[in-house]
Amino acid sequence: MSDTLGTGTADGRTPRGAPGAGDAAAAVPPSPPRAAARRRGRTRLEIAVLSAPAVIVFLAFVIFPVALAAYYGFYQWKGYGEPTDWVGLNNYKLILTDPAFHDVLWHNGLILVLSLVIQGPLAIGLALLLNQRIRGRSAIRVLVFVPYIVSEVIVGTGWSLMLQSDGAVNDLLRAIGLGSLEADWIADPDLAIWTLMAIITWKYIGFAVILMLAGLQSIPDEIFEAAQIDGASYWQIQRRITLPLLGPTIRIWAFLSIIGSLQLFDLVYIIWGQYVSGTAGTSTMAIYLLAQGRNAGNYGYGSAVAVVMFVISLAVALVYQRFVLRRDLRGAVTEGTV
């Protein structure tokens, strides 16, 4: 039969150039690149719109004040009018060569180290205790956490009254027959820093304990049960299982404690004030800023001190994040996500 159906040839093959099944499939256009680009653009626009308020607040209340303080730090400025007395880097040179600033920097460093050394082990021990099934556990947790939520003004005022020479602490020592231990807890340079550390520990230990408890409760119980079946003792479990798995929580708490120690102001100012703190050995960089800046009528110098504090805190935070928090941040952001 010479005639063929459609456009096929006698042997049943489709002639070259004739539309076939392959051409029909190829004729279906793939998803246009413009659609994918449009979706990516829409996603980026949504991210920009949602993050814009936070970015604006951050720029307005963090970056702009820092930049403005850096600008005023180049002037000898009294706090009013347009700054005109340009001094360049002289304010920063005075700060770095001032023995008083060296002292307050040392105090901040000492407070930082003592906070980590004292509060860390205490918080872990209390968290391990309060993580057990003991009677009154909830009440104890509340009592431990209450000082943290009390205002620093109330804490500072209360402790300053109790720690005076004729205050409640010395009265209690005399009442229980330990009058020989009476001391000037606030003004004595040999005791003042330890008094401050006791108050700081009492005030902020609750926050550390709550963080540690949250970290402990995130560890699966099956791990402890498996270790007990293998014959591990209680202290072996804490050392080889609990502490390593609690590591991220400890590192985050330590970071917050470090930044707080560098910026400590309110408790020192309320209990010691700007003058007694200097002679008692408890003055901090923030107290130095207040005394040499606003109270001295030299807002340019105070602005320079604020910039130095910011740079020190930022440098410590970046170094800590680079060398300590790196293991915790690794993998937190997934590559390839839009």
Side-chain angles (χ1 to χ4, degrees), residues 34-262:
R34 289 184 178 179
R38 194 178 298 112
R39 286 194 299 269
R40 288 195 296 269
R42 188 184 305 115
T43 301
R44 291 169 182 168
L45 179 61
E46 292 174 355
I47 294 174
V49 171
L50 293 175
S51 61
V55 172
I56 292 173
V57 171
F58 181 77
L59 292 175
F61 293 98
V62 177
I63 301 301
F64 178 72
V66 171
L68 195 62
Y71 168 73
Y72 288 140
F74 294 114
Y75 290 89
Q76 194 77 17
W77 185 48
K78 298 299 182 181
Y80 54 88
E82 189 70 20
T84 57
D85 191 2
W86 172 269
V87 295
L89 295 175
N90 188 51
N91 284 333
Y92 296 96
K93 292 179 181 178
L94 289 176
I95 294 170
L96 298 179
T97 57
D98 187 4
F101 183 78
H102 299 164
D103 291 339
V104 299
L105 186 61
W106 164 253
H107 297 159
N108 275 106
L110 184 60
I111 292 169
L112 186 156
V113 173
L114 291 178
S115 295
L116 297 178
V117 172
I118 296 174
Q119 293 185 46
L122 280 177
I124 294 174
L126 286 172
L128 290 174
L129 176 63
L130 296 177
N131 199 42
Q132 305 296 322
R133 290 187 175 90
I134 58 176
R135 181 176 298 178
R137 180 176 62 176
S138 299
I140 298 174
R141 288 180 179 180
V142 171
L143 292 175
V144 171
F145 188 68
V146 162
Y148 177 72
I149 62 176
V150 178
S151 169
E152 279 78 2
V153 175
I154 297 175
V155 172
T157 303
W159 279 106
S160 64
L161 293 174
M162 291 189 294
L163 292 171
Q164 292 178 1
S165 299
D166 56 350
V169 173
N170 285 337
D171 289 343
L172 177 61
L173 291 175
R174 286 192 297 267
I176 62 177
L178 296 177
S180 59
L181 297 180
E182 290 184 47
D184 193 349
W185 305 101
I186 294 178
D188 189 345
D190 296 328
L191 296 175
I193 189 65
W194 299 105
T195 301
L196 175 61
M197 291 312 306
I199 297 173
I200 290 175
T201 302
W202 177 83
K203 176 74 171 66
Y204 297 107
I205 191 69
F207 176 71
V209 171
I210 292 299
L211 281 182
M212 301 304 172
L213 279 172
L216 288 174
Q217 293 175 1
S218 66
I219 302 175
D221 294 334
E222 291 79 5
I223 299 178
F224 300 115
E225 294 173 359
Q228 291 174 350
I229 293 174
D230 290 339
S233 65
Y234 175 81
W235 293 111
Q236 287 175 330
I237 292 175
Q238 307 311 320
R239 178 185 175 187
R240 299 187 179 275
I241 296 178
T242 304
L243 289 180
L245 294 179
L246 199 60
T249 303
I250 296 174
R251 288 187 285 271
I252 290 296
W253 164 80
F255 176 75
L256 297 175
S257 180
I258 289 170
I259 298 302
S261 299
L262 291 175

Side-chain angles (χ1 to χ4, degrees), residues 314-332:
L314 180 63
V316 171
L318 293 177
V319 171
Y320 190 89
Q321 178 178 334
R322 176 66 177 82
F323 294 101
V324 180
L325 292 181
R326 179 176 56 181
R327 67 181 72 179
D328 302 323
L329 297 176
R330 186 185 298 124

